Amino acid sequence: MRLTAEPETLNPVSYTSAPSLQIINLLFQSLMTVDLADDKLKPTLVETRPEVVQQDSLTYFTYKLRKEAQWTNGSPVTAQDVAFTLKVLKAPLLNNERMKPQVEFIRDIRIDSTDNRKFTLVCDGFTPEMELLTGDFFILPAYLFDPEGALRTFQVSDFTGDLSRLENNETLKNYAAHYNSARYAHDKDVLQGSGGYVLDKWVTEQYLLLKRKTNWWGNTLGPNTPSLTANPLQINFQVIPDNTTALLALKNRQLDVLENIPAAEFNQLKADSSFTKIYALYTPDSYEFAYIGINSRLPKFSDKRTRQAIANLLNINSFIKVSQQSYATPTVGPIPPTITPYYNKKLKPYTYNLQKATALLQAAGWQRKANGWYKMSNGQPQQLTIDLSYRAGNTAFENSALIFQQDAAKAGIPVTLQAQESSLFGQKAKAHEFEMFFRVLSGNPFVFDFKPLFYTAYADEGGNYTGFGTPESDALLDKYNEAKDEQTKARLLKRLQEILQDEATFIALYYQKDRLAVHRRFGNLKISGLAPNYDVSAFTLKK
């Protein structure tokens, strides 16, 4: 296997990178997981999906752990381990900044007094993604992560609300020094969970070797739990940051799997019959989509007809052909076209239409002069120009930006391209210091709560960078979070896509296809659009 970078940590709470997560998924387990065979949420450490009860402003999620679930030392996974994990995720002073917001809505845990495998999570309010979030954090073994029992004196509810009162707590300070140490980032003797593998060797900047546990508990459950697997005896992750080097290793048969293959190189591999005899190539539809954001707060973009004119200058098919080598699917919004119940197929993606763009600009009050379009603003003529930004090093967006620049020039609109270093790009987006940008977002097929992206309350502080929002769209987002049945959710989301296309501040372009190669000697690959696009723990050798 290839890793694009050295994992910064294998701590299942403080990790930040995809390479770390890929390995952690083999060492630790959550209550629920996604089976890449069908991209459906399945029970992992628990017997079934939770029982959900709503009462007033609280929601209760009741789970029961599998009786077979064990830690590496053979002891059972218990509700006390779940409680301990929540304390680690919520406590101050610990390196848990990435995960803490995900479980903020969980205010307490109630453990069944007669069964230490059964517990109820007490949660504030209700949103559709809560079932996913209550089961989507790695459970930690308290015996390894807190051998002295320092957190036993605290309750999960102690870490709800204002935590400033605890920042000088000596017990917490001492435990934080222990937990935040390098040992809980790299030591194979403590980085052991309930998963089917243990870390055997880690040679810095070279490789990480995982070995399958002897008599792992998951392999005793039989054929009715195909999402729980640990088939390969060992998995060797090679650290290869450079794409060219990784491709050479693949061609030399030094790698069994390679994902995220650049489109041009992928086409070359497809045409190489000697290569395709040995490796199978796959292009699953991903849940990553590219979009354009227009800052509707700026006076020159405040009229939606101006934004619609810009949208009609987007040649999305050319973007896909040139920047993605046609490995992408146009979309009308942030819902993947593959999610047919929710995708609004009555809408059509924007296409390049110079005549329509010109008419819209005129309707918005712009006047065409010899050197461009002008409109009076505060008594002064303002020219319609666009600064288009994107992350430096993203060749796909660089190529698309050049296409847009050329097409906008035909309409008399000057476009300046700004390739920005990643942290600067993110900083300016959050501060609303942009005119128009290209960006990629990752989604999933489970929950479509778009409030962080589109709710007007998040337009000043939050993820609504473009300033999108109408009273109707806010009401739709609220109703979606309250909806119980799929038909209502579908109706609301289809209407939201109509409003998004009409407002033209957040303009979805296309969903990407992933590109990977896998050696033909393997079966049971579970190819998926969800990263990392396959489940290596499920691999079997063909006879």
Side-chain angles (χ1 to χ4, degrees):
M1 316 285 296
R2 179 252 186 137
L3 289 181
T4 57
E6 175 92 4
E8 81 285 11
T9 176
L10 291 183
N11 186 308
V13 174
S14 57
Y15 73 91
T16 59
S17 71
S20 294
L21 177 59
Q22 189 171 0
I23 295 176
I24 291 168
N25 262 317
L26 297 165
L27 305 177
F28 294 85
Q29 294 174 300
S30 47
L31 303 177
M32 308 275 288
T33 194
V34 179
D35 186 354
L36 297 189
D38 56 10
D39 289 353
K40 297 287 178 63
L41 199 61
K42 307 278 180 69
T44 306
L45 283 173
V46 291
E47 294 180 344
T48 62
R49 295 178 74 140
E51 175 190 326
V52 183
V53 177
Q54 288 180 252
Q55 290 182 0
D56 300 323
S57 61
L58 298 176
T59 306
Y60 301 86
F61 293 84
T62 299
Y63 288 96
K64 188 171 183 179
L65 293 160
R66 296 184 190 272
K67 64 180 182 297
E68 299 89 354
Q70 293 181 350
W71 298 115
T72 306
N73 69 352
S75 63
V77 180
T78 68
Q80 284 78 15
D81 292 304
V82 179
F84 166 73
T85 301
L86 285 169
K87 294 174 193 177
V88 171
L89 292 172
K90 295 170 72 70
L93 307 177
L94 305 185
N95 290 337
N96 57 10
E97 292 81 6
R98 193 192 68 83
M99 289 295 298
K100 186 182 288 187
Q102 182 175 315
V103 296
E104 193 173 15
F105 68 95
I106 302 175
R107 64 159 57 182
D108 202 2
I109 184 173
R110 295 177 182 172
I111 298 174
D112 191 301
S113 59
T114 63
D115 187 348
N116 70 353
R117 293 190 291 119
K118 190 175 182 181
F119 60 92
T120 298
L121 301 178
V122 183
C123 303
D124 288 317
F126 175 79
T127 59
E129 74 268 28
M130 277 188 178
E131 181 181 353
L132 173 67
L133 295 176
T134 57
D136 189 31
F137 50 88
F138 294 108
I139 305 302
L140 306 176
Y143 81 95
L144 285 175
F145 278 70
D146 188 16
E148 303 300 321
L151 295 189
R152 287 181 200 154
T153 57
F154 297 92
Q155 302 298 316
V156 171
S157 58
D158 293 336
F159 302 123
T160 297
D162 182 13
L163 304 183
S164 58
R165 69 190 187 283
L166 296 171
E167 290 177 354
N168 289 315
N169 182 285
E170 286 301 319
T171 301
L172 271 181
K173 286 166 72 175
N174 291 334
Y175 179 71
H178 164 79
Y179 174 84
N180 295 339
S181 68
R183 188 179 186 208
Y184 286 87
H186 298 96
D187 191 338
K188 63 187 181 70
D189 292 330
V190 296
L191 294 171
Q192 299 181 12
S194 58
Y197 292 87
V198 291
L199 178 62
D200 185 59
K201 292 181 183 177
W202 185 346
V203 180
T204 304
E205 297 183 359
Q206 292 186 44
Y207 70 90
L208 293 89
L209 182 66
L210 272 60
K211 288 196 173 181
R212 190 176 72 182
K213 291 178 180 177
T214 305
N215 300 320
W216 176 56
W217 69 269
N219 284 340
T220 67
L221 296 179
N224 293 328
T225 54
S227 59
L228 284 169
T229 51
N231 293 333
L233 293 176
Q234 67 178 40
I235 304 171
N236 191 331
F237 288 95
Q238 299 285 324
V239 180
I240 310 176
D242 180 65
N243 275 335
T244 303
T245 305
L247 277 165
L248 183 61
L250 181 72
K251 292 174 183 177
N252 290 337
R253 304 182 193 178
Q254 295 169 313
L255 288 175
D256 291 307
V257 185
L258 184 62
E259 70 271 19
N260 297 320
I261 300 173
E265 286 80 357
F266 190 80
N267 282 339
Q268 292 174 6
L269 294 175
K270 279 177 66 177
D272 184 346
S273 59
S274 63
F275 179 83
T276 55
K277 276 184 181 179
I278 307 298
Y279 289 88
L281 299 172
Y282 300 91
T283 56
D285 290 307
S286 79
Y287 297 99
E288 284 195 348
F289 71 96
Y291 77 98
I292 274 181
I294 299 176
N295 192 346
S296 62
R297 303 170 186 82
L298 301 178
K300 63 181 175 181
F301 300 135
S302 60
D303 190 318
K304 72 178 180 182
R305 292 169 296 187
T306 301
R307 303 192 298 269
Q308 290 170 349
I310 294 170
N312 277 282
L313 296 175
L314 298 172
N315 196 332
I316 298 174
N317 287 329
S318 288
F319 296 167
I320 291 173
K321 184 177 180 180
V322 174
S323 68
Q324 298 295 321
Q325 300 284 304
S326 298
Y327 292 110
T329 304
T331 183
V332 299
I335 305 291
T338 52
I339 309 295
T340 52
Y342 291 168
Y343 185 75
N344 194 334
K345 62 183 179 182
K346 292 181 179 179
L347 300 176
K348 301 298 179 187
Y350 277 110
T351 56
Y352 185 78
N353 190 326
L354 180 58
Q355 185 177 358
K356 192 171 183 179
T358 300
L360 284 163
L361 289 174
Q362 291 170 340
W366 296 93
Q367 294 184 340
R368 182 74 184 261
K369 305 291 185 183
N371 63 336
W373 294 88
Y374 288 84
K375 182 194 278 191
M376 297 302 291
S377 177
N378 297 322
Q380 298 293 324
Q382 181 183 29
Q383 185 180 9
L384 179 57
T385 61
I386 300 174
D387 292 338
L388 175 58
S389 56
Y390 52 90
R391 293 184 191 273
N394 189 318
T395 55
F397 284 162
E398 182 179 323
N399 291 332
S400 297
L402 287 168
I403 292 171
F404 176 73
Q405 185 183 50
Q406 294 164 7
D407 287 340
K410 297 173 188 174
I413 302 175
V415 175
T416 301
L417 305 185
Q418 298 180 342
Q420 297 173 344
E421 186 270 326
S422 182
S423 60
L424 177 63
F425 178 86
Q427 176 185 327
K428 285 188 171 293
K430 289 178 182 177
H432 314 138
E433 296 173 359
F434 70 93
E435 292 190 354
M436 178 171 161
F437 61 55
F438 275 114
R439 194 163 177 254
V440 168
L441 279 180
S442 296
N444 64 60
F446 314 112
V447 177
F448 299 102
D449 176 17
F450 292 119
K451 285 184 85 167
L453 278 178
F454 302 133
Y455 209 59
T456 54
Y458 298 124
D460 293 324
E461 296 290 334
N464 185 355
Y465 299 150
T466 66
F468 167 84
T470 67
E472 183 185 1
S473 65
D474 278 355
L476 286 171
L477 293 166
D478 285 332
K479 289 176 182 175
Y480 174 82
N481 282 342
E482 298 164 1
K484 302 292 191 300
D485 63 279
E486 296 301 311
Q487 292 80 6
T488 302
K489 291 179 182 179
R491 177 177 54 80
L492 295 169
L493 288 175
K494 287 177 180 178
R495 177 56 187 151
L496 178 64
Q497 290 166 76
E498 291 172 357
I499 298 172
L500 280 166
Q501 190 173 71
D502 183 62
E503 289 293 317
T505 55
F506 184 107
I507 306 168
L509 302 174
Y510 53 80
Y511 268 87
Q512 300 173 354
K513 289 180 180 287
D514 288 311
R515 297 172 293 272
L516 68 151
V518 184
H519 200 290
R520 289 188 182 275
R521 72 175 181 271
F522 295 113
N524 200 34
L525 309 180
K526 297 189 179 182
I527 300 299
S528 166
L530 289 168
N533 309 126
Y534 54 88
D535 181 0
V536 67
S537 76
F539 280 21
T540 56
L541 281 172
K542 294 179 181 178
K543 293 182 180 179

